[in-house]
Amino acid sequence: MKIYPIILSGGAGTRLWPLSRAVLPKQLLPLVTEKTMLQETALRVSGVAEMQAPLIVCGNDHRFLVAEQMREAHIKPLAILLEPVGRNTAPAVAAAANYVKAIDADAMMLVLPADHVINDVAAFHAAVGRAAALAHEGALATFGIVPTAPETGYGYIKSGALVKGAAGDGYQVERFVEKPDRATAETFVKAGTYFWNSGMFLFRADAYLRELEQYAPEMAKAAAAAVQNDYSDLDFCRLDEAAFTASPSDSIDYAVMEKTKHAVVVPADIGWSDVGSWSALHEVQQKDSNGNVTRGDVYLDGVSGSLVRAESRIVAVVGVKDVVVVETNDAVLVAHKDQVQRVKQIVDHLKSQDRTEHLMHRKVFRPWGSYEGIDVGDRFQVKRIIVNPGGKLSLQMHHHRAEHWVVVSGTARVTCGDEVKLLTENESTYIPIGMNHRLENPGKVPLHLIEVQSGSYLGEDDIVRFEDVYQRT
């Protein structure tokens, strides 16, 4: 029986600020290795017997980044399903179940969040094999992580009677438990019958939909309609907006797993973490002799038990222990490891002040490449723009700003009104206010240029698009 990995990549990510932001959440970042967490998740299930190409569910804002990261990892997804709105995991998985069931009536689904760390991949594959044997017989399997400490940041699953499978064993799920306090967590670990709730599942697509129809019929109906009325947009599959938006919002646990009589838990000792905080990221990474984790241009003196990450400049830390220091080009976080859960309060503060540091970095990715703000002042703004080979910005116009482009390296094809010309290194051009224009890279190397904007209003919403190969509105 074929297994279809369903990778859920819809999270916005706030607990790893200032690195993770709404436009570039943690699953799209290289946090542990040089590959992003999404890439690691997809590669983890590639080349495994019976495993098919992954189906990825994500939001509209992340679609081009997801597609580009899969291309970089040399993975061709079965599909990239676009959620018009976030509705939690149960509707997302229901949409994926309807999609793969239309392809393969006997399809099994391995549901994986895109932002988890699994260090023991061989043990993970073995656990998948045990779960598949149980799912083949109709069970809805969840993976219970063998606890290594009395964690209070995870939910728990209490196991019941042993369930024998053709190729492995699991346990009936006796109950799901919300995040406990420290004393309760200690009793759970000591009992030996409780597991961390990983949020990973394996079941037949038809079995999941059958249970969803019984326990959440409105959700099942909405997800089915969203897939039935989906449509293609470039390399993406857009779920029907009206149907999906009408779905109730709920998790798989609440909608199905806590109610079904067919839930089983498969123990998994796989070196797992959901990397839900900076302290958790410190725990899963290789440390130096003083227990430090560093990345980037970092200088340490008399530092122990700490995580220090530099993204754009040297970061020097002296004479402290058990701290987290994360530097980006527009924000710096300094926190004790025991207090990193309060990062969410920082994000809430930024939102309340109508700031943008919780939304995006200075470097913003686009389907054609990226741009980065260098300087801004009264009536002017300077950006560094990179256009990938073959990349093409939309044919557009601005009501309030003019632009001056200077090519640093590569070749630019510039449309300005009725004129089309090629520019190379050290050449420049001027785009007046109100003039239709377009920038393209016809070459085989990235195009680097500096853009100087001037005018009364310089916001990104002052763009009128006339034509766009990426079909953005």
Side-chain angles (χ1 to χ4, degrees):
M1 186 176 291
K2 296 177 180 178
I3 301 175
Y4 294 80
I6 311 299
I7 301 178
L8 305 180
S9 185
T14 58
R15 293 179 293 178
L16 292 182
W17 185 89
L19 203 59
S20 176
R21 307 194 185 184
V23 174
L24 193 64
K26 71 172 183 174
Q27 66 268 25
L28 302 178
L29 293 168
L31 292 179
V32 179
T33 70
E34 296 305 312
K35 295 183 175 63
T36 68
M37 301 193 78
L38 171 64
Q39 290 173 326
E40 291 284 10
T41 302
L43 290 168
R44 197 176 293 133
V45 293
S46 64
V48 180
E50 305 301 326
M51 204 72 71
Q52 306 302 299
L55 183 152
I56 302 172
V57 185
C58 70
N60 183 67
D61 291 344
H62 301 148
R63 67 193 188 280
F64 291 111
L65 278 171
V66 167
E68 175 62 16
Q69 290 191 5
M70 290 298 94
R71 186 196 65 78
E72 290 176 351
H74 306 291
I75 293 173
K76 183 174 177 56
L78 174 69
I80 299 177
L81 296 189
L82 302 183
E83 297 177 288
V85 292
R87 284 293 180 264
N88 214 316
T89 56
V93 173
N98 280 282
Y99 191 93
V100 298
K101 186 172 177 286
I103 298 171
D104 181 354
D106 297 321
M108 287 203 295
M109 303 167 58
L110 174 61
V111 179
L112 302 170
D115 55 359
H116 288 184
V117 167
I118 294 176
N119 286 321
D120 193 337
V121 176
F124 168 67
H125 290 166
V128 169
R130 295 194 299 275
L134 296 168
H136 179 68
E137 299 170 6
L140 277 66
T142 184
F143 295 87
I145 304 302
V146 178
T148 57
E151 287 286 346
T152 59
Y154 298 143
Y156 284 72
I157 301 170
K158 187 178 190 307
S159 61
L162 181 67
V163 179
K164 288 284 187 180
D169 299 335
Y171 298 89
Q172 291 179 355
V173 172
E174 187 168 308
R175 65 187 176 109
F176 288 82
V177 185
E178 296 290 343
K179 297 175 182 178
D181 57 29
R182 178 78 181 187
T184 304
E186 288 175 351
T187 64
F188 287 173
V189 174
K190 186 176 181 180
T193 55
Y194 288 83
F195 302 94
W196 292 339
N197 187 353
S198 70
M200 302 187 296
F201 307 90
L202 201 158
F203 36 62
R204 287 177 58 108
D206 56 2
Y208 175 73
L209 293 174
R210 186 164 53 247
E211 297 299 290
L212 193 70
E213 288 165 2
Q214 178 177 350
Y215 297 111
E218 291 184 18
M219 187 184 296
K221 181 180 178 182
V227 174
Q228 184 176 358
N229 299 317
D230 65 11
Y231 62 96
S232 296
D233 176 3
L234 300 177
D235 293 331
F236 310 103
C237 175
R238 289 188 178 273
L239 299 172
D240 181 76
E241 183 172 359
F244 196 80
T245 303
S247 172
S249 177
D250 215 341
S251 69
I252 298 177
D253 285 346
Y254 288 131
V256 174
M257 297 300 291
E258 292 189 3
K259 300 170 183 175
T260 181
K261 297 179 177 61
H262 305 291
V264 300
V265 57
V266 174
D269 188 0
I270 56 178
W272 171 91
S273 172
D274 71 346
V275 197
S277 68
W278 285 112
S279 58
L281 184 62
H282 175 268
E283 288 302 313
V284 300
Q285 292 190 272
Q286 186 172 353
K287 303 167 185 63
D288 66 16
S289 59
N290 293 312
N292 298 312
V293 173
T294 61
R295 185 162 180 149
D297 193 1
V298 172
Y299 171 85
L300 302 182
D301 181 4
V303 177
S304 63
S306 298
L307 182 149
V308 183
R309 184 167 180 137
E311 295 294 312
S312 65
R313 71 203 79 185
I314 185 171
V315 173
V317 183
V318 178
V320 295
K321 65 178 181 178
D322 297 334
V323 298
V324 170
V325 181
V326 182
E327 176 272 337
T328 69
N329 60 11
D330 64 347
V332 178
L333 170 70
V334 181
H336 193 277
K337 280 199 309 185
D338 291 344
Q339 302 296 318
V340 291
Q341 296 295 345
R342 293 165 65 182
V343 166
K344 188 177 184 300
Q345 297 175 26
I346 302 173
V347 175
D348 291 340
H349 170 75
L350 295 172
K351 290 179 181 178
S352 71
Q353 298 298 308
D354 291 325
R355 299 182 62 130
T356 61
E357 290 92 339
H358 67 289
L359 292 173
M360 63 184 68
H361 292 270
R362 283 185 182 172
K363 185 173 184 178
V364 178
F365 291 92
R366 290 290 185 255
W368 43 261
S370 65
Y371 69 84
E372 182 176 359
I374 300 174
D375 195 9
V376 63
D378 184 29
R379 296 181 63 89
F380 82 91
Q381 184 169 221
V382 183
K383 292 182 178 179
R384 178 187 293 112
I385 296 177
I386 301 175
V387 184
N388 296 328
K392 180 185 295 188
L393 281 68
S394 61
L395 181 64
Q396 59 185 249
M397 179 268 286
H398 309 297
H399 288 295
H400 304 288
R401 72 175 186 246
E403 296 173 341
H404 187 183
W405 294 339
V406 181
V407 176
V408 177
S409 63
T411 301
R413 179 186 289 127
V414 177
T415 300
C416 186
D418 296 329
E419 182 183 8
V420 179
K421 58 185 176 182
L422 292 177
L423 300 179
T424 57
E425 186 172 328
N426 293 325
E427 294 183 326
S428 63
T429 191
Y430 174 70
I431 310 295
I433 293 176
M435 181 67 72
N436 292 4
H437 61 279
R438 165 175 271 165
L439 175 65
E440 306 173 52
N441 180 0
K444 296 183 178 180
V445 297
L447 164 65
H448 293 250
L449 60 83
I450 299 298
E451 175 182 87
V452 181
Q453 303 175 356
S454 60
S456 59
Y457 178 72
L458 307 174
E460 283 300 306
D461 54 351
D462 181 23
I463 298 178
V464 179
R465 288 193 176 101
F466 302 105
E467 180 184 314
D468 184 32
V469 297
Y470 308 108
Q471 299 184 15
R472 295 167 295 171
T473 56

